[in-house]
């Protein structure tokens, strides 16, 4: 035999890599003896080792039935929808021993809604022995227990609020508050309110926290011309820690000038805002008062700080509008947006057939008026105004000759006395009317103001673009009366909301029985479909 014969290296390598095989001590399966731990195969390890041994299989969740919030220990209350990510995270945090393992997956298992049980399917991983990683899936059951949160408990006591926002406007109607209510609903600015109470000249919004009230005050300042005052009242003091408890009151006063009002500016103020004529019409109210001169189409914006330096009241409001009939109209001048300057000859509708008195006037409604149309305006020549600014205009040598007899405001649409069912609705806030219910005459006035506001929404496209209008349900088509419905499930803290949009009874004026075919209508494409997903009850 030749001792120097070559030997294959590959054969030596393959001989060295053969593992040391042993038998599993439990089932007798061959396993690698160098890597096995405890002389067990992988299947026997899964059967004998429980990596979820230290994880809870049962736990309790606390839910407040008043606000539907979940308790996150120690004292935080969390808003979470059923089977949401927030609720899943809360459930996982409640389990003791879960942070010691690695969570791979977690999901909800369906349970009956009335069972007050929540089940989770959790998949975890952990290293059982050195080099051996196990994965296991198990179920956890949670019992839902009811517990009242401090905010709901506080609502049943005398100290229900910490801050109140008092919104006031000293005018004889509620049209401004109706518009402000729609803006609040559209932007959900009342979400944090504890209670809303209706007062004679406005509304009171109650809050459990001061910062919520300040946030609402900022919202009002961004949508309306207001003046704000703040006060605070000391409730209690801890003599040991010097901790004090206050109640805060925010007084919000709206400018008492509304849309379509006739105003007479102080002469110095009129000269300072663009040398505009002092006798004007308020054609829009936003963060400032937008004034219009129908004779020249000149406009001026009057911000709230400037107004409160020299406040004034309106000469007349929409309740004093007089119906005129257009006898002749001729456009004469430039247009400015939707306004077109025109010269018109009008006569009072009440004078037709009794006398032939006509009035000449310039108007900004040249684009919408035609001979034979009805138009609403102020009869200045036949009215006595108890107003110092108007008296200053009559004595002024510069402006006395420019005071018109008639100032036209808007086109008038003849409507039937029988209420018209509209194809759209508006949401209404649920409020506390107080201890005294409104009298019958007050209720009639509220209905007239609301019907006038609905007509303004129909006739004014710019006003309509700032509101949220909804499609009317089938309940409104059943009859002509105005149904009062409540819409449930809108927001977590909003509670119930009244839904109102059908026409109310006429405002008491003599209206023509003409056909309503020429009335302005709102396109269905401009309406929202939120009513379809909500439960509406009569």
């Amino acid at each position: 035999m030749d001792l120097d014969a070559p030997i294959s290296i590959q054969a030596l390598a393959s001989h060295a890599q053969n593992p040391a095989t042993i038998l599993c001590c439990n089932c007798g399966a061959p396993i690698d003896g160098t890597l096995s731990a405890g002389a067990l195969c992988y299947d026997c390890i899964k059967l004998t080792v429980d990596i979820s041994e230290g994880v809870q299989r049962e736990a309790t969740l606390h839910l407040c039935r008043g606000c539907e919030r979940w308790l996150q220990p120690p004292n935080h209350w969390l808003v979470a929808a059923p089977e949401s990510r927030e609720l899943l995270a809360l459930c996982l945090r409640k389990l003791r021993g879960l942070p010691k393992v690695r969570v791979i997956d977690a999901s909800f298992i369906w349970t009956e809604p009335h069972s007050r049980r929540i089940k989770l399917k959790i998949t975890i991983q952990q290293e059982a022995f050195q080099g051996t990683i196990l994965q296991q899936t198990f179920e956890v059951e949670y019992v839902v227990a009811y517990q009242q949160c401090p905010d709901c408990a506080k609502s049943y006591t005398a100290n229900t609020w910490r801050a109140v926002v008092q919104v006031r406007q000293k005018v004889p109607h509620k049209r401004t508050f109706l518009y402000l209510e729609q803006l609040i609903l559209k932007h959900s600015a009342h979400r944090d309110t504890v209670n809303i109470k209706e007062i004679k000249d406005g509304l009171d919004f109650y809050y459990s926290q001061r910062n919520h009230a300040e946030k609402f005050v900022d919202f009002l300042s961004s949508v309306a011309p207001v003046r704000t005052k703040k006060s605070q009242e000391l409730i209690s003091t801890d003599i040991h820690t010097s901790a004090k408890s206050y109640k805060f009151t925010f007084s919000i006063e709206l400018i008492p000038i509304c849309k379509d009002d006739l105003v007479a500016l102080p002469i110095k103020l009129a000269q300072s805002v663009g040398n505009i004529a002092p006798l004007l019409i308020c054609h829009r109210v936003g963060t400032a008062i937008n004034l219009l001169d129908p004779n020249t189409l000149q406009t001026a914006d009057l911000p709230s700080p400037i107004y409160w330096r020299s406040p004034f009241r309106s000469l007349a409001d929409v309740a004093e509008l007089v119906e005129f009939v257009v006898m002749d109209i001729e456009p004469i001048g430039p247009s400015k947006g939707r306004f077109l300057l025109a010269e018109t000859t009008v006569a009072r509708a009440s004078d037709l057939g009794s006398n032939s008195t006509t009035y000449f006037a310039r108007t900004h409604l040249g684009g919408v008026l035609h001979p034979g149309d009805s138009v609403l305006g102020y009869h200045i020549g036949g009215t006595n105004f108890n107003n110092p600014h108007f008296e200053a205009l009559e004595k002024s040598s510069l402006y006395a000759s420019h005071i018109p007899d008639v100032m036209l405001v808007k086109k008038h649409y003849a409507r039937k006395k029988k209420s018209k069912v509209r194809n759209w609705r508006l949401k209404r806030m649920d409020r506390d009317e107080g201890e005294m219910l409104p009298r019958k005459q007050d209720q009639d006035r509220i209905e007239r103001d609301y019907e006038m506001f609905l007509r303004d929404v129909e006739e004014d496209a710019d006003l309509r673009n700032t509101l949220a209008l909804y499609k009317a349900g089938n309940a409104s088509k059943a009859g002509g009366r105005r149904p009062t419905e409540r819409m449930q499930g809108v927001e977590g803290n909003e509670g119930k909301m009244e839904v109102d949009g059908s026409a109310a009874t006429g405002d008491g004026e003599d209206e023509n029985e003409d056909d309503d075919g020429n009335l302005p209508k709102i396109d269905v494409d401009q309406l929202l479909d939120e009513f379809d997903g909500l439960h509406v009850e009569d």
Side-chain angles (χ1 to χ4, degrees):
M1 181 179 179
D2 191 0
L3 297 177
D4 296 332
I7 300 175
S8 176
I9 300 176
Q10 183 176 1
L12 292 175
S14 62
H15 179 72
Q17 291 177 358
N18 289 332
T21 303
I22 64 173
L23 299 179
C24 176
C25 66
N26 191 17
C27 63
I31 57 175
D32 186 1
T34 61
L35 300 178
S36 62
L40 293 172
C41 64
Y42 183 72
D43 294 334
C44 292
I45 293 177
K46 291 195 297 181
L47 293 175
T48 57
V49 179
D50 185 11
I51 61 175
S52 64
E53 183 178 2
V55 182
Q56 276 184 284
R57 299 302 177 95
E58 294 182 354
T60 303
L61 295 175
H62 294 90
L63 172 67
C64 178
R65 286 190 289 185
C67 58
E68 296 183 354
R69 293 187 298 174
W70 302 86
L71 174 61
Q72 179 179 340
N75 53 7
H76 180 66
W77 290 86
L78 178 69
V79 178
E83 298 190 5
S84 61
R85 297 178 59 185
E86 294 80 6
L87 184 57
L88 180 61
L90 177 62
C91 293
L92 294 178
R93 282 195 292 265
K94 290 284 290 185
L95 296 180
R96 292 194 302 268
L98 193 62
K100 298 179 181 179
V101 296
R102 181 183 180 186
V103 180
I104 301 300
D105 188 23
S107 60
F108 286 96
I109 300 176
W110 185 86
T111 56
E112 291 287 347
H114 62 272
S115 64
R116 294 172 56 186
R117 297 294 187 272
I118 296 177
K119 290 185 178 181
L120 290 186
K121 181 180 179 181
I122 304 176
T123 303
I124 61 174
Q125 278 186 357
Q126 190 180 26
E127 186 177 11
F129 301 103
Q130 184 176 3
T132 304
I133 297 178
L134 293 182
Q135 180 170 313
Q136 187 175 349
T137 301
F138 60 96
E139 295 182 3
V140 179
E141 182 176 336
Y142 296 87
V143 179
V144 179
Y146 293 132
Q147 179 178 338
Q148 195 175 45
C149 67
D151 294 336
C152 293
K154 191 177 180 180
S155 64
Y156 292 97
T157 63
N159 300 320
T160 56
W161 56 274
R162 182 58 59 89
V164 59
V165 180
Q166 300 174 346
V167 186
R168 300 288 186 270
Q169 187 184 34
K170 295 178 174 60
V171 291
H173 56 80
K174 295 283 187 179
R175 290 170 55 234
T176 303
F177 284 99
L178 292 173
Y179 173 66
L180 195 61
E181 177 186 12
Q182 297 304 316
L183 291 180
I184 293 173
L185 288 172
K186 181 179 179 180
H187 298 279
S188 298
H190 66 307
R191 180 178 302 174
D192 300 321
T193 55
V194 176
N195 187 22
I196 301 175
K197 185 177 293 186
E198 187 172 2
I199 310 298
K200 178 182 178 182
D201 293 329
L203 296 171
D204 288 347
F205 297 84
Y206 295 90
Y207 294 89
S208 60
Q209 297 182 20
R210 173 187 176 185
N211 56 344
H212 292 164
E214 292 177 343
K215 182 179 178 181
F216 184 70
V217 171
D218 294 339
F219 170 78
L220 293 180
S221 302
S222 65
V223 297
V226 299
R227 178 172 63 174
T228 305
K229 292 182 180 179
K230 175 186 173 183
S231 62
Q232 59 186 19
E233 178 185 0
L234 180 63
I235 303 300
S236 61
T237 304
D238 189 347
I239 60 175
H240 302 288
T241 61
S242 298
K244 300 179 181 179
S245 177
Y246 290 94
K247 279 189 175 182
F248 301 90
T249 301
F250 298 87
S251 177
I252 306 296
E253 184 177 359
L254 296 171
I255 291 179
I257 306 295
C258 303
K259 182 176 178 291
D260 298 334
D261 282 0
L262 178 66
V263 297
L265 297 181
I267 296 178
K268 291 184 178 180
L269 180 61
Q271 294 174 349
S272 64
V273 293
N275 200 20
I276 195 172
L279 196 60
L280 304 169
I281 293 176
C282 176
H283 72 93
R284 193 173 71 90
V285 177
T287 55
I289 302 177
N290 304 119
L291 303 173
L292 170 69
D293 183 8
N295 295 317
T296 61
L297 297 187
Q298 184 179 356
T299 59
D301 294 341
L302 195 62
S304 179
I306 297 179
Y307 171 84
W308 291 113
R309 291 180 199 166
S310 54
F312 56 90
R313 300 189 64 85
S314 59
L315 278 180
D317 56 16
V318 291
E320 303 176 35
L321 287 173
V322 180
E323 183 181 353
F324 294 89
V325 178
V326 179
M327 311 301 293
D328 186 21
I329 186 169
E330 180 181 358
I332 60 169
S335 62
K336 190 171 183 180
R338 58 191 177 95
F339 301 138
L340 176 63
L341 189 62
E343 291 182 347
T344 179
T345 302
V346 297
R348 293 183 59 175
S350 59
D351 293 343
L352 295 180
S354 59
N355 59 60
S356 58
T357 304
T358 59
Y359 303 94
F360 175 80
R362 280 191 172 188
T363 179
H364 59 290
L365 304 174
V368 296
L369 293 182
H370 303 88
D373 288 347
S374 296
V375 61
L376 297 178
Y378 295 105
H379 190 194
I380 302 176
T383 308
N384 293 324
F385 298 104
N386 186 14
N387 188 284
H389 304 303
F390 185 77
E391 294 175 358
L393 292 182
E394 293 178 328
K395 297 177 181 179
S396 173
S397 59
L398 180 61
Y399 299 106
S401 59
H402 297 284
I403 299 178
D405 292 333
V406 172
M407 187 170 285
L408 304 180
V409 177
K410 60 180 179 180
K411 184 176 179 179
H412 176 63
Y413 297 91
R415 300 174 186 265
K416 293 182 179 179
K417 288 185 179 179
K418 183 179 179 181
S419 60
K420 182 176 76 71
V421 178
R422 295 180 170 90
N423 64 339
W424 54 276
R425 297 286 185 91
L426 292 175
K427 288 194 296 187
R428 300 297 305 276
M429 289 189 302
D430 189 20
R431 68 195 67 159
D432 184 8
E433 296 181 352
E435 299 178 357
M436 299 292 293
L437 293 177
R439 297 174 297 177
K440 185 179 184 302
Q441 54 266 35
D442 295 336
Q443 186 66 32
D444 295 340
R445 177 178 55 83
I446 293 173
E447 292 182 358
R448 286 197 302 269
D449 292 342
Y450 188 71
E451 172 63 20
M452 190 176 299
F453 175 71
L454 294 180
R455 294 181 181 182
D456 288 341
V457 174
E458 284 181 333
E459 299 171 5
D460 193 344
D462 294 338
L463 175 64
R464 195 161 58 242
N465 293 334
T466 60
L467 307 180
L469 278 65
Y470 301 90
K471 293 181 181 178
N474 295 329
S476 65
K477 300 177 183 179
R481 66 181 180 85
R482 183 179 67 180
T484 300
E485 300 174 343
R486 293 187 181 273
M487 181 169 58
Q488 299 179 358
V490 180
E491 293 287 347
N493 294 333
E494 288 180 11
K496 295 182 179 179
M497 289 183 175
E498 296 181 2
V499 183
D500 213 346
S502 59
T505 309
D507 55 2
E509 299 177 355
D510 292 336
E511 297 182 354
N512 298 329
E513 295 291 339
D514 297 335
D515 189 17
D516 292 348
N518 59 346
L519 293 178
K521 297 181 180 179
I522 299 177
D523 192 2
V524 181
D525 297 336
Q526 301 178 5
L527 305 179
L528 302 178
D529 295 328
E530 187 176 343
F531 272 42
D532 297 340
L534 299 173
H535 179 63
V536 180
E537 297 180 354
D538 291 340

